[in-house]
Amino acid sequence: MRAPRIAATHQECKVVKISGVAMALWFLLVLFATESNKAPPPEAMPSRANEYCSAPLTSGDEGGSDVTSVTVVVRHGARSGIATEVQDWKCGLGALKSHVKRWEAASGNELTPETSHGTCEKGQLVARGFRQHKRLGAFLRSRYGGTSWQVTTRSTNYQRTKASASAFLDGFFGGRVPKDAWPSFRENASEEPMFGVEGEDGKGIRCVRAAADAKRQREAWQPGELADAVASIEDAAWNPTDVADVAYSRHCEKTGCLRDGHAGLGDGQGCVTGSKAEALFRLADKFYYGRYNGNDGGRAASRLGMHPFLSELLRNFKDDSESSEKRLRLYAGHDTVVAPLLAALGVFDGKWPPLASRIVFELREGGALRILFNGRDVSGEVCGAVGDDLEGGPPGARGCDVAAFEARVAALLGGAASFDEACGN
């Protein structure tokens, strides 16, 4: 009886080896053909997008045992887009919902507008925006201590600012917000000095000269060499901040992207990313810098327009310097508050202020004043340099104190005896 065959012959092994090599080569060829037919991967968003999504919330040089009064001017936190009719941002709050309901009951402010299917209204604070300000409040609590503070809070009359202020207070007081600390607001936007001077939208204090300066700056806008780079993005060259707002908001909240009809494969579905997004963001920063610090009227409008608000802060400093109580004053506003205020102080860096940005004024024992932007001490730039935008302090003055700061704020009027005189009202 013949024994069963249990091993392949030498010739059969060679056939198997050759077949294996052929299969491997065939697989590589198919893989190469498949990959070569794929569209190239999308370019990443530039780092500027992530910078905009959030100011630093848990780091900064604030603090000191001799601080007797703290004034915090904040931009609201993350929100849905404004300059778009497509509202598909989600505003569900998850675990935050019970906290927000408690804040609404305590403050009497509506912080969560009802929308269909959980989508947002235009410019509505999203859950990340609540968390941003809660974290910021908790961080400043760690720097100053969250007890024994008398509190005054004012917000502009917007859901995103009232909600941001409420979240900040909850973080600062560790969930035990004093009943009189919740944000107040002025119903009439024309009476809110945080808005600066009255613009085309009717917000802000009346000032004929500053309004004319601001209009002159807008009319002088030219996109320059960046126009070609954003030519395929509708309205980007002449209205870059509105367009960039949509790109930023979609990127920050991960709700898709700004579409460009000529991006990608030209099918109208491509995302604005990479170098094109970089050009758009640079153009938006350029527009913002001109609007609030430009030579064609922007800087003049900011200096005069922020005088009423800086005067209010100055009165607060004087009152607080004579008080034995520690005082926290919180103002919740917008990028359109933070940017011109920085410009009036002479420290606007030309970049659109990130979400949840903050300007902090620390009043210390003896009347010394320290100013910080997003945790960085800018006091020397505001008060210490001869020839800066707030010149006019006492000769030889260095650093900040209430008396020197008063003289510098008065200098914003350009020698006029009053705000109305400087405005030509």
Side-chain angles (χ1 to χ4, degrees), residues 38-287:
K38 284 184 178 180
E43 294 182 88
M45 288 293 276
S47 59
R48 179 72 182 97
N50 291 330
E51 290 174 8
Y52 176 89
C53 289
S54 182
L57 304 174
T58 58
S59 62
D61 293 334
E62 289 95 344
S65 59
D66 60 340
V67 175
T68 60
S69 171
V70 179
T71 298
V72 185
V73 182
V74 298
R75 183 189 179 187
H76 57 74
R79 56 159 171 76
S80 60
I82 293 178
T84 176
E85 295 304 316
V86 180
Q87 284 298 317
D88 53 3
W89 283 261
K90 299 299 182 183
C91 277
L93 296 175
L96 280 170
K97 188 171 183 178
S98 61
H99 295 272
V100 176
K101 290 299 182 184
R102 175 167 50 84
W103 304 341
E104 287 182 322
S107 67
N109 292 323
E110 182 183 355
L111 306 178
T112 52
E114 293 295 329
T115 55
S116 60
H117 307 297
T119 55
C120 301
E121 294 183 351
K122 285 186 178 183
Q124 184 174 339
L125 198 74
V126 298
R128 190 173 71 88
F130 281 96
R131 290 193 294 269
Q132 283 177 314
H133 276 284
K134 191 173 170 67
R135 291 177 66 194
L136 178 58
F139 169 69
L140 293 182
R141 171 188 172 91
S142 74
R143 306 301 291 178
Y144 299 119
T147 60
S148 303
W149 289 88
Q150 299 297 312
V151 189
T152 302
T153 305
R154 194 167 83 234
S155 165
T156 60
N157 190 14
Y158 286 80
Q159 178 268 346
R160 58 185 176 271
T161 50
K162 289 182 280 190
S164 294
S166 299
F168 178 99
L169 291 168
D170 191 77
F172 189 85
F173 288 102
R176 297 178 175 84
V177 182
K179 63 180 181 179
D180 57 351
W182 298 103
S184 63
F185 55 90
R186 295 178 177 174
E187 293 280 357
N188 192 341
S190 66
E191 298 174 355
E192 177 49 74
M194 276 192 277
F195 284 125
V197 296
E198 183 179 8
E200 294 174 349
D201 55 7
K203 302 171 188 173
I205 308 299
R206 182 173 184 270
C207 180
V208 174
R209 182 165 290 119
D213 287 335
K215 182 179 180 182
R216 184 160 47 89
Q217 181 68 52
R218 287 193 299 273
E219 292 173 346
W221 167 248
Q222 291 292 331
E225 72 282 356
L226 290 170
D228 289 342
V230 299
S232 65
I233 309 174
E234 184 179 359
D235 208 27
W238 297 99
N239 202 8
T241 52
D242 278 1
V243 178
D245 169 74
V246 179
Y248 276 137
S249 297
R250 291 209 171 280
H251 171 73
C252 296
E253 308 319 314
K254 299 179 174 58
T255 58
C257 63
L258 175 69
R259 300 291 184 180
D260 174 10
H262 294 83
L265 301 177
D267 59 359
Q269 300 301 311
C271 290
V272 176
T273 58
S275 59
K276 190 168 289 188
E278 177 71 30
L280 173 62
F281 297 153
R282 285 175 56 200
L283 198 62
D285 283 340
K286 177 182 177 182
F287 184 93

Side-chain angles (χ1 to χ4, degrees), residues 403-417:
F405 194 75
E406 180 176 18
R408 289 179 167 89
V409 172
L412 295 176
L413 298 180

Side-chain angles (χ1 to χ4, degrees), residues 54-64 70-75 136 139-140 143-144 168 338 342 347 349 354-362 364 370-381:
S54 182
L57 304 174
T58 58
S59 62
D61 293 334
E62 289 95 344
V70 179
T71 298
V72 185
V73 182
V74 298
R75 183 189 179 187
L136 178 58
F139 169 69
L140 293 182
R143 306 301 291 178
Y144 299 119
F168 178 99
V338 172
L342 290 171
V347 290
D349 63 6
L355 296 164
S357 284
R358 67 189 186 271
I359 304 174
V360 174
F361 299 82
E362 295 177 343
R364 309 174 101 79
R370 197 163 74 115
I371 306 169
L372 305 97
F373 174 55
N374 284 338
R376 184 176 71 87
D377 189 340
V378 295
S379 306
E381 298 167 57

